[in-house]
Amino acid sequence: MNVSQSPNLPKSNSIIGLAGHVDHGKTTLIKALTGITTARPHEQKLGMTQDLGFAHLEDGHGNMIGIVDVPGHERYLRNMVAGVWHINVLLLVISAEEGCMPMTLTHTQIATAMGVERIVVCINKCDKVTEEQLEDIEEAALETIMDISGIVPEVVCVSAITGKNIDKLRSILIEESLLSATPIETDDAPKSPVVYVDRVFVVNGIGTIVTGTLTQGALKVGDKLHCEPAKVTGQIRSIQTYHQQVEEVYPTSRVAINVKGLTRKQVKRGDLLFGPNAPVALQQQCIIRVKTLGDDKTASTLKNKQIEVATGSWHGMARYIPLPDKQLARLVFDSPIPLYFGQRILLIPKGNNECVTVGEMIWDQTIPKHQKRDIYEQLEELPTNLSNDSQLNMLLRLQGYYKKELACSELSESNLIIDDYVISKEWFNDVKQQILATLDENRSISSSELSYSLKIEKDICNSILQSLKKEQKIHLNMGLWHIGDGNSEDDLPEPARKILELTREMGRDGLELNKTDLGKDKKWLRQLTHSKFITAIDENIYFDMGVYLDLVKTIIGEKQAKDTTSIQEIKQLTHLSRKYAIPLANRMEKDGWMRRDDEIRIILKPWSVD
């Protein structure tokens, strides 16, 4: 961690993924391009790259270009996936002595399936063959790669040993990197940072260091990062990118982060680090849009089977369940993993080293039965090239709203912002009318009942109810929403709300002041009784207004004006002691429900809440 300070941030960032068949000279080529040896001592002794290797070069304009060397042997396919899922340019190395080999094709398929749009084909070891052989290899490689990827690649023939055309290759890579570099976000709502962990280690005197590739958002010293599935949150102490200490870094960049609050035992390779507002959810299943890379017959054999799944630097097991007659499938993971919209996921048959299917995560929530058809239709209509707006537009069509934290661009004039949600104006107005009609028909109803009957999430339902309350069209009383303007109990100060909650908890036992010490909060009793949230049956006993009216209804029942009752009957009907029954009857007399005639109580009006 003893590094020089870098006062300037790069203007743009990109990462090159170096791929190809085993023993085609990838590691030697990196050494020739950058002067960095990516192979570890045991890999050098073995003569084979087994895990990811990292290097970088400078483009001459103050920008650093990261290079990831991925294993070429089929046994290390999972590590290869971890290396290419985030790259901007694929540098495909092909030996002039052998030409395209099986892993050359597999690496090309996977990289393009993961969204890579720029490929540079490097014919290495050109000093080992004749000019005629080289021309044949070059032509065959170009045709093969174009057929697989649909991309017309740049092609250059080099010798990593002699240095022939290395400068030319470096120039081509720099140009391709600049053209594909991730632009630094300057909008008002940048994406939250996302980093898959590929290494974790401890530096004495500094603490836990995690390394990975920042694929979106920005990282700053002092920022908080959440880690899933470890379920821990830490704060960034320091950041390195390409051996330079920086205060802030942008995608796409290799980063080493010292995170306070994360320990070596808590975090492992494959975990996902992300910002507090990132739309990432820990889920055990999801729906993906699938694309077959290999033989359709091979892909069909995966149905309802356990398969290997790789995304980012993580890989594990899941059950693959294709949806009938759709290019969609459900993945049920052995254990929950962090997911986000558009995330690319590769599927590998269990015990195999061939990747036949790639998927894009497009839905990670439960699907209500009444919405199943609509959701599947919307998922199938998503555009080929997914963007953040693809998800937002889909959510607006399906449910009329989405969480505000998902928005990364300016909002349409047809949408509103209410609390934590972006809401379609048309849907909002329609739901408001449904709520008012429901309340008008039922006179009063709770938030939970409204949410259930209208099939709306509780949080968004509460936001719309609060909006209607501000418009003075509804109010909350006795835990129920009512039509019309009035005092709403959720507007009460916190001490008053606590007294109201306590009174409700006491039920028919009532809140007795000589048994409850309210302290200085006792002053709120006057406001609560004045606003008719509670009522005093005498100077020491208070009932919640809902409990009180329920007792009144029980006492009057089917009685009409001029019918009579007695304290004994009131005790029998309410199961209250004389201590409560007499003050209750007196309260009813004050409220105009009855009058006293010696020992008899004469009913003045039939039961009604009006």
Side-chain angles (χ1 to χ4, degrees), residues 395-454:
L395 292 175
L396 286 176
R397 290 192 297 268
L398 279 172
Q399 59 190 29
Y401 61 90
Y402 58 81
K403 283 288 187 72
K404 185 171 61 178
E405 64 192 33
L406 295 176
C408 291
S409 58
E410 288 189 15
L411 301 176
S412 166
E413 293 183 358
S414 60
N415 299 328
L416 300 167
I417 296 180
I418 297 178
D419 296 332
D420 295 329
Y421 296 92
V422 175
I423 303 176
S424 161
K425 287 181 182 178
E426 182 179 356
W427 181 84
F428 176 67
N429 291 329
D430 180 57
V431 172
K432 285 203 302 183
Q433 292 306 313
Q434 290 183 58
I435 290 175
L436 293 174
T438 302
L439 291 176
D440 189 51
E441 180 181 341
N442 295 282
R443 294 186 177 272
S444 60
I445 192 170
S446 69
S447 300
S448 296
E449 289 175 303
L450 273 171
S451 171
Y452 179 79
S453 65
L454 298 177

Side-chain angles (χ1 to χ4, degrees), residues 137 151 247 257 285 289 330 349 456 472:
I137 289 291
I151 298 170
E247 292 293 314
I257 317 167
Q285 59 179 284
R289 182 169 63 181
R330 185 182 302 278
I456 303 171
Q472 300 182 336

Side-chain angles (χ1 to χ4, degrees), residues 65-113:
I65 301 172
I67 298 178
V68 180
D69 182 14
V70 305
H73 198 283
E74 63 179 13
R75 284 181 295 175
Y76 307 112
L77 180 64
R78 290 85 183 154
N79 289 343
M80 183 269 166
V81 173
V84 302
W85 76 278
H86 54 259
I87 64 175
N88 303 89
V89 179
L90 174 66
L91 175 56
L92 194 63
V93 182
I94 300 171
S95 170
E97 294 178 296
E98 295 184 316
C100 290
M101 297 293 284
M103 288 308 292
T104 311
L105 310 184
T106 298
H107 286 186
T108 306
Q109 286 178 327
I110 292 175
T112 52

Side-chain angles (χ1 to χ4, degrees), residues 184-203:
I184 291 177
E185 297 168 350
T186 57
D187 52 61
D188 294 331
K191 295 180 180 179
S192 295
V194 172
V195 179
Y196 264 108
V197 176
D198 51 46
R199 287 183 66 209
V200 186
F201 54 92
V202 176
V203 176

Side-chain angles (χ1 to χ4, degrees), residues 111-124:
T112 52
M114 299 301 276
V116 175
E117 297 179 350
R118 293 186 176 275
I119 299 176
V120 176
V121 173
C122 173
I123 310 295
N124 192 21

Side-chain angles (χ1 to χ4, degrees), residues 557-605:
E558 299 297 326
K559 291 182 173 64
Q560 301 296 313
K562 298 184 180 180
D563 288 343
T564 62
T565 187
S566 65
I567 294 298
Q568 186 63 30
E569 183 181 15
I570 290 174
K571 287 174 57 182
Q572 292 174 348
L573 290 172
T574 61
H575 305 289
L576 294 175
S577 66
R578 191 173 185 85
K579 173 184 174 182
Y580 287 89
I582 292 175
L584 175 61
N586 293 339
R587 178 78 258 175
M588 290 177 63
E589 186 174 347
K590 290 180 182 179
D591 291 340
W593 291 105
M594 61 175 67
R595 66 178 176 84
R596 182 177 178 179
D597 184 6
D598 199 12
E599 296 299 318
I600 300 298
R601 299 299 199 272
I602 301 173
I603 304 300
L604 297 179
K605 57 183 179 180

Side-chain angles (χ1 to χ4, degrees), residues 232-407:
V232 291
T233 300
Q235 188 173 31
I236 299 176
R237 282 175 170 162
S238 62
I239 305 170
Q240 280 189 19
T241 179
Y242 308 118
H243 305 298
Q244 293 183 327
Q245 194 88 8
V246 296
E247 292 293 314
E248 186 173 8
V249 65
Y250 294 87
T252 305
S253 298
R254 289 290 305 166
V255 293
I257 317 167
N258 176 213
V259 186
K260 179 183 178 182
L262 271 63
T263 68
R264 176 67 183 86
K265 292 182 179 180
Q266 291 173 316
V267 186
K268 63 183 181 302
R269 179 171 181 162
D271 285 1
L272 185 64
L273 296 173
F274 54 92
N277 296 322
V280 176
L282 192 68
Q283 301 285 13
Q284 187 134 9
Q285 59 179 284
C286 70
I287 292 178
I288 61 172
R289 182 169 63 181
V290 299
K291 177 184 178 183
T292 301
L293 299 182
D295 187 353
D296 286 335
K297 292 182 180 179
T298 305
S300 65
T301 63
L302 301 180
K303 184 177 180 180
N304 296 325
K305 290 186 177 180
Q306 285 289 107
I307 61 171
E308 283 193 71
V309 181
T311 180
S313 57
W314 176 89
H315 79 272
M317 302 300 295
R319 181 168 292 278
Y320 179 77
I321 308 169
L323 303 182
D325 304 319
K326 302 181 188 299
Q327 287 297 106
L328 306 175
R330 185 182 302 278
L331 290 180
V332 182
F333 303 98
D334 282 5
S335 58
I337 71 168
L339 297 167
Y340 56 89
F341 182 79
Q343 179 178 4
R344 286 190 167 90
I345 300 174
L346 274 84
L347 314 178
I348 307 167
K350 188 176 180 181
N352 200 332
N353 288 311
E354 179 185 4
C355 178
V356 296
T357 304
V358 65
E360 293 173 303
M361 202 294 291
I362 53 178
W363 193 268
D364 64 353
Q365 304 298 313
T366 56
I367 297 181
K369 288 184 178 180
H370 71 279
Q371 278 192 300
K372 183 177 290 186
R373 179 178 296 178
D374 290 341
I375 289 175
Y376 287 163
E377 287 180 357
Q378 290 296 329
L379 293 179
E380 287 199 293
E381 291 177 7
L382 284 167
T384 301
N385 297 318
L386 296 179
S387 66
N388 188 64
D389 288 341
S390 303
Q391 180 187 25
L392 305 187
N393 292 334
M394 176 182 67
L395 292 175
L396 286 176
R397 290 192 297 268
L398 279 172
Q399 59 190 29
Y401 61 90
Y402 58 81
K403 283 288 187 72
K404 185 171 61 178
E405 64 192 33
L406 295 176

